[in-house]
Structure formats: structure tokens, C-alpha cells
Amino acid sequence: LNQLLSEMDGFESNEGVILIAATNRPDVLDPALLRPGRFDRQVVVPLPDLQGREGILRVHTRRIPLSEDVDLPLLARGTSGFSGAQLANLSNEAALHAASHDREAVTMVDLDESRDRILMGKERRSLVIAESDKLNRAYYEAGRALAACTLPEADPLHKVTIIPRGRALGRTVQLPREDLHNHTKEYVETSIAILLAGRCAEEILSGNVTTGASDDLARVRELALKMVREWGMSEVLGPLSLGQNEEPVFLARQVTRRRQHGQETVVKIDREVRRIVQEGYQRATRILKAQSETLVRLADALLEEETLDAARVEAVVQAGTSAGALSS
């Protein structure tokens, strides 16, 4: 490294030498590399946005026969955070999946399957699941799907499944309408309520709770903490940023962090986090109890069909709404 830096300092202006380097960890670069005369020009290449993902998908699928049901804009919405290499991999996986099923063209089912495989792993249909576990998972995912259909600030529902993938025994998939770089307080509170709706559904329908909500509970706590400590969305603490950006420890970086607020503020933060989570849980419970018959019907449909798309979920919800109107 020292020799490289010395050579860079020794280049004369008439030699026309340009040295280009790349890294995916700019936060750990030595300052000596970035001083004027060395790597002093930086070109940031971010992950593609919605329009960029759609364009990349069109490039990688132009030599692949696509069926008429393929909706690349919809697929681009469901691949937020994907890099160009991942989108290329998705296209290749979809072609392999279609070929393995003797299809002459790639369908939307193949593309959805490829995306889910990249995100969560391959389907584990051979996994033996007890009927009680399968029933609880149907309750859980039905609760999340129903909450996602009901809450106005929620991202549109794409599909819900109880087929195991990777470590997950099921999943409720929502696709944002567009890439958002800023979220409103109502949107974050809605996300918390949807994450808690699965736990609420278990408690309402079975009278018990399971360990299946552990990942969602961790995400709920993370969102609530960010609302209070980083985003200034607490009514008690006000518009204050009370946390530090977390960075991985590297080389001689500071290992310990000093707390910038007192014990009283820590207690207030804990109370606010608990309040936000409890309000989200109560909100989800009210929604699911008001549509308990629809919740049961949705869980039964999941047990029978295992995977429901948005149109099928909407049909079940509408049937439950019509039945309730007739009985009243």
C-alpha cells in the first residue's frame, strides 16, 4: 500500500495516468487514500431505483421468451434493494425454473418463484410439519394479510403463503407502489401493527401464542426504537435524535460508545417504545376481532390452498364483508 501511494504521488501531470479503484466499504478506507492527488474523485454507484430495476430486467430478459402474463414493472416493485447482478440471477433462475417445468416461455409464476428463492431460499415442501403448527401458521399469516388489506397506509398485498422457505414457515408479501426514501409516522405505525397482527391472530383464534413471532417482534422493537431515538416521532421526547449511527468496528475504530443522555431519558425511551408497541398491538387486535369470521375464512383458505395471491385474498375478504352485511 505504501509503495502504491508513493507511486501515485510520483506521477507527473504529462503522463496521463489514471488509477481507478472500487470498494463496497468506503466507510473503512484509510484517509491517506482519499487525500488530494490520490483517490480524490469519488463516483457513488447506488443500488438501482424502481425505474432502473425495470430497465435492468428488460435487458436481462430480452433473450428469454416471456409469456403474456409477465409484468416487469410489478416485478421491479417487488425487488427493492436488488443489485444488477441479483436481477440477472433472478432472470436466469426464472428461465431454469420454466425449463424444469417444460414450459416454452417464462411466466410470472417463474419470476415470482425465483425472487422468493433469492430472498428466502428454496421451498421446503418435504418438511414434515405437525397439523397444529400448520394451523397456527395459517392463523398467523391470515392475520397479517387481513391487516395489510384493511389498514389504509399499508403497502398493497401481493401474496400470502404458508409454504416453508429457508427458516421461515410462511410469509406475507407486500409490494410498495414506489420506492420511498422517507416514511411518514402513520406508515411506520401501520407497519408495526401489521407485524404484530400475526401474533394477535394466534391469540384470538387459538387462545395461545407461539414462538413463531420472534423475528417480527424483533423488527417491531427496531422500528419503535428508531421512531423514538432517531426519527423524533415521540410525543414525549419530541424532535430529538438520541442515538448514534451504528457502524461495525474496524481496525482502530472506537470500540466503546459513550452514552449521550442520562438515565431518566433512557427510562423515557423504554416507556415510549413500550407505548408504541402496545398501541400497535391494540390496533391490530381491534381490526382482527371486528373481522373474526373473515379471519377464520382466510385461514381455512390458506390451509386448503397454501398460497393465496392478492386477488384471492380480496375475494375472501369481500365475501366476509358481504356475509356480515347480510346478517346485520
Side-chain angles (χ1 to χ4, degrees):
L1 177 60
N2 288 333
Q3 183 178 358
L4 173 64
L5 296 177
S6 299
E7 292 293 334
M8 291 175 69
D9 286 340
F11 288 150
E12 297 180 4
S13 58
N14 59 358
E15 290 187 9
V17 177
I18 299 175
L19 189 59
I20 301 176
T23 180
N24 60 354
R25 289 296 305 277
D27 54 312
V28 299
L29 292 179
D30 192 302
L33 286 170
L34 306 178
R35 78 183 194 189
R38 292 177 178 172
F39 292 107
D40 54 354
R41 299 291 181 91
Q42 297 184 28
V43 178
V44 179
V45 183
L47 292 173
D49 58 9
L50 178 60
Q51 185 176 0
R53 293 195 300 274
E54 182 180 345
I56 292 172
L57 285 170
R58 293 191 185 281
V59 169
H60 290 300
T61 57
R62 62 187 175 187
R63 296 184 179 180
I64 299 175
L66 301 178
S67 66
E68 295 181 356
D69 70 330
V70 171
D71 188 347
L72 291 182
L74 178 64
L75 184 63
R77 284 171 49 198
T79 52
S80 178
F82 274 46
S83 64
Q86 287 176 310
L87 294 172
N89 184 32
L90 187 152
S91 304
N92 294 333
E93 286 284 349
L96 291 173
H97 188 267
S100 66
H101 289 76
D102 296 327
R103 284 194 274 267
E104 296 182 357
V106 173
T107 66
M108 197 65 186
V109 173
D110 299 317
L111 291 167
D112 275 342
E113 168 65 24
S114 301
R115 181 197 58 213
D116 292 344
R117 179 177 296 189
I118 292 173
L119 288 174
M120 299 180 295
K122 189 178 180 180
E123 287 185 355
R124 296 192 297 162
R125 290 185 176 272
S126 60
L127 181 65
V128 179
I129 303 176
E131 288 300 321
S132 59
D133 285 346
K134 191 173 182 180
L135 180 62
N136 284 329
R137 200 65 211 180
Y139 290 161
Y140 191 94
E141 299 301 338
R144 288 197 55 183
L146 184 56
C149 289
T150 305
L151 292 170
E153 292 288 334
D155 289 326
L157 181 70
H158 179 58
K159 70 176 180 180
V160 55
T161 180
I162 57 172
I163 298 175
R165 283 182 180 273
R167 295 175 56 188
L169 297 179
R171 193 186 183 204
T172 299
V173 182
Q174 296 172 257
L175 299 185
R177 297 179 179 88
E178 55 187 355
D179 286 348
L180 295 177
H181 302 287
N182 291 301
H183 299 296
T184 64
K185 181 180 178 182
E186 290 76 13
Y187 178 88
V188 180
E189 290 174 341
T190 296
S191 300
I192 289 175
I194 293 173
L195 288 170
L196 293 170
R199 179 68 172 263
C200 295
E202 283 184 340
E203 190 172 6
I204 292 171
L205 297 182
S206 68
N208 205 345
V209 294
T210 68
T211 59
S214 58
D215 289 341
D216 286 341
L217 293 180
R219 292 173 61 191
V220 165
R221 181 179 180 275
E222 181 182 358
L223 284 174
L225 273 173
K226 287 185 175 181
M227 287 181 68
V228 176
R229 296 199 312 181
E230 299 180 24
W231 299 335
M233 294 181 178
S234 167
E235 298 176 359
V236 174
L237 296 171
L240 293 175
S241 178
L242 301 170
Q244 291 180 322
N245 294 330
E246 295 182 359
E247 297 178 355
V249 176
F250 180 77
L251 297 181
R253 294 287 176 88
Q254 184 179 359
V255 177
T256 60
R257 303 186 186 278
R258 292 181 299 175
R259 194 170 61 189
Q260 297 180 335
H261 42 268
Q263 185 63 32
E264 183 180 352
T265 304
V266 174
V267 173
K268 289 182 179 180
I269 291 174
D270 290 341
R271 288 176 179 172
E272 278 296 280
V273 169
R274 183 180 296 274
R275 179 189 64 80
I276 291 172
V277 173
Q278 288 296 331
E279 287 182 357
Y281 195 84
Q282 293 168 4
R283 185 183 183 190
T285 301
R286 288 194 301 269
I287 291 172
L288 299 184
K289 282 187 174 180
Q291 305 181 70
S292 57
E293 294 182 1
T294 302
L295 180 61
V296 173
R297 192 177 292 108
L298 194 57
D300 290 341
L302 271 175
L303 287 171
E304 180 179 354
E305 303 175 35
E306 293 188 328
T307 299
L308 306 176
D309 60 14
R312 181 74 176 95
V313 172
E314 185 66 25
V316 174
V317 173
Q318 291 296 333
T321 303
S322 302
L326 290 174
S327 62
S328 59

